[in-house]
Amino acid sequence: MVEQLSCADLGIEPELVLPIPEAPFPYLWFSGRVLPWEQPVVHVTTAGWPSIQAVFEGIRGYWNEEQGTLSIFRLPEHLDRFAASMKLMRMQPEITTSELTDAFVDLCRANAPAGDVYLQPLAFLAGVRGGSGPVDSLTPEITITMRPNPSALLSGKSLRACFSSWVRISDDALPPRIKALPNYANSRLAANEARLGGYDVPIFLNRQGKVAESSGSCVFMVRNGAVVTPQATDSILESVTRATLLELVERELGLPVRERPIDRTELYVADEVFLCGTSMEVTPVTEIDGFTIGSGTMGTVTVRIERLYHDVVRGIDTRYIHWLTRT
Ligand code: PMP
């Protein structure tokens, strides 16, 4: 373990060091090692610019109180998407998937949480400046950070949504398939607009005028007994939670699932609408643009899906234990 160095040790005046964000846990992972949170720093001229070409993941670790263990949900699938995002941004990581998997386990063990966590790997090219930067030496820097993040599953929470006046980014400009930091400028514009308008979340339409996704989650509706979500080509992130639910709902609940374009007005008259994502988990939307969805409370299908998802991510439903990486 690297010892902690102070500004005095490094010969730097403390006034020249920007405040280091408070540590959510004592350690992070950077460049092949578990390090104290304060340790890795960047030069002030580097701040910001590499975000232009940075990609990341959001992954949950669920705590099992009885066993005193933390399990990461669908880590291989998140690492696959991380690899695809890096590929599309022309990054060539030297680290292997198996080494990256070990990095997550090592970091979780070092921080020894006693509750649910959120894990965030980030890959960036240190030399990026504006629209230019390195194009031929593309080994990214990779960090992994984690923070406490209690699950809201089974909490009874519901959301009020609005359609955004902002259109979702598309594959011909800023592909939503890449989990890239710049995509979240589009998300922020919509999320800010929704919040200032008194709503909890925005729902984007895509350039074709069909339902895309929310600012950080995917959209599902229940209509005429089927569980329906936009297609992977409808300007959405290829969500791990969406794929999980498509598989679980059909196999375990025996309900028909459909991936197809969805009209805005279909959501208004749907029996149920819910959002899903790693962070969002499964959360019902009970009102959109002043239209009450279904009965205005969490629908019976959403209740079943949320319970199933809860049991799977917590390892209570042992049929899907292979989706959990024990740390
Ligand atoms: N769409 C967007 C824009 C997101 O940021 C997220 C969260 N990663 C999702 C959908 C849901 O994806 P996942 O289920 O893989 O977390």
Side-chain angles (χ1 to χ4, degrees), residues 78-301:
H78 280 284
L79 293 184
D80 277 354
R81 188 173 63 190
F82 193 43
S85 293
M86 286 193 279
K87 176 178 180 173
L88 287 164
M89 285 303 196
R90 308 250 175 220
M91 297 177 183
Q92 287 160 2
E94 276 164 9
I95 190 164
T96 65
T97 304
S98 134
E99 288 167 339
L100 210 44
T101 303
D102 291 345
F104 278 87
V105 174
D106 291 348
L107 181 63
C108 287
R109 288 189 184 157
N111 281 323
D116 301 334
V117 299
Y118 194 71
L119 295 139
Q120 223 166 37
L122 173 79
F124 63 96
L125 299 170
V128 168
R129 288 280 182 280
S132 67
V135 287
D136 56 355
S137 168
L138 302 180
T139 304
E141 310 296 333
I142 298 181
T143 62
I144 309 172
T145 53
M146 59 190 278
R147 58 180 160 83
N149 191 14
S151 167
L153 284 167
L154 309 183
S155 67
K157 177 178 130 190
S158 67
L159 300 171
R160 294 174 59 244
C162 62
F163 275 97
S164 183
S165 70
W166 299 97
V167 175
R168 188 62 180 145
I169 48 173
S170 57
D171 200 60
D172 56 358
L174 203 53
R177 176 168 290 101
I178 310 177
K179 195 164 169 62
L181 285 183
N183 295 7
Y184 289 82
N186 181 235
S187 292
R188 287 295 284 245
L189 288 168
N192 290 346
E193 179 190 51
R195 297 286 292 279
L196 289 169
Y199 297 94
D200 300 310
V201 280
I203 297 175
F204 282 110
L205 297 177
N206 61 26
R207 276 236 217 115
Q208 289 68 42
K210 302 295 179 188
V211 174
E213 59 182 344
S214 183
S215 47
S217 55
C218 282
V219 181
F220 275 77
M221 70 169 180
V222 181
R223 234 194 135 195
N224 304 323
V227 178
V228 191
T229 193
Q231 305 166 123
T233 48
D234 282 337
S235 296
I236 65 166
L237 178 72
E238 288 179 321
S239 150
V240 173
T241 318
R242 172 184 174 279
T244 299
L245 296 184
L246 285 172
E247 191 173 335
L248 286 178
V249 167
E250 186 162 55
R251 191 183 307 133
E252 305 305 341
L253 301 185
L255 296 171
V257 295
R258 307 256 182 279
E259 293 170 73
R260 65 159 177 85
I262 297 179
D263 279 336
R264 171 180 186 154
T265 48
E266 279 190 287
L267 287 195
Y268 294 150
V269 297
D271 300 317
E272 302 178 28
V273 174
F274 63 88
L275 300 183
C276 81
T278 297
S279 179
M280 185 61 80
E281 301 179 301
V282 175
T283 307
V285 175
T286 49
E287 187 194 316
I288 307 175
D289 292 336
F291 288 108
T292 300
I293 307 304
S295 62
T297 57
M298 191 173 186
T300 52
V301 174

